Amino acid sequence: MLVTTRNFAKGNRSSTSRFLASTISAVVFSIAMVTGAGAADIAATYTESCAACHDSGALNAVKKGDSAKWQQLIKQKGMPALISSVKNGMIQMPAGGLCEDCSNDDYRKLIEYMSK
């Protein structure tokens, strides 16, 4: 950075441009990695916490991938009510849906993941 600052001060904008371009590339790549990791985390969380019932439809759970049914539920109840149902539990589902450390955003992402 010192060299780049010195080069910029001397009018060597080419080095500064290369430095900025590489920095921006690194930031964009890092964001892409985090976004991909988030999707992988949701898939792993689904497998660990939701798949036992939502893969098979056990206990009348809406199956993962049944987009029509999920969209009907989202439209009928709304996402906040669905999240609340997961957090508080239902007759056939324990509170938290077996995910003890999920946030509201995690529950939203899991519902969206199951609805695709």
Side-chain angles (χ1 to χ4, degrees), residues 24-42 109:
I24 290 169
S25 296
V27 168
V28 168
F29 181 73
S30 296
I31 290 170
M33 292 293 290
V34 169
T35 302
D41 289 345
I42 290 300
K109 289 176 183 176

Side-chain angles (χ1 to χ4, degrees), residues 36-65:
D41 289 345
I42 290 300
T45 301
Y46 169 81
T47 299
E48 294 167 7
S49 302
C50 312
C53 295
H54 287 281
D55 271 356
S56 66
L59 303 173
N60 294 320
V62 179
K63 288 185 178 182
K64 178 187 180 298

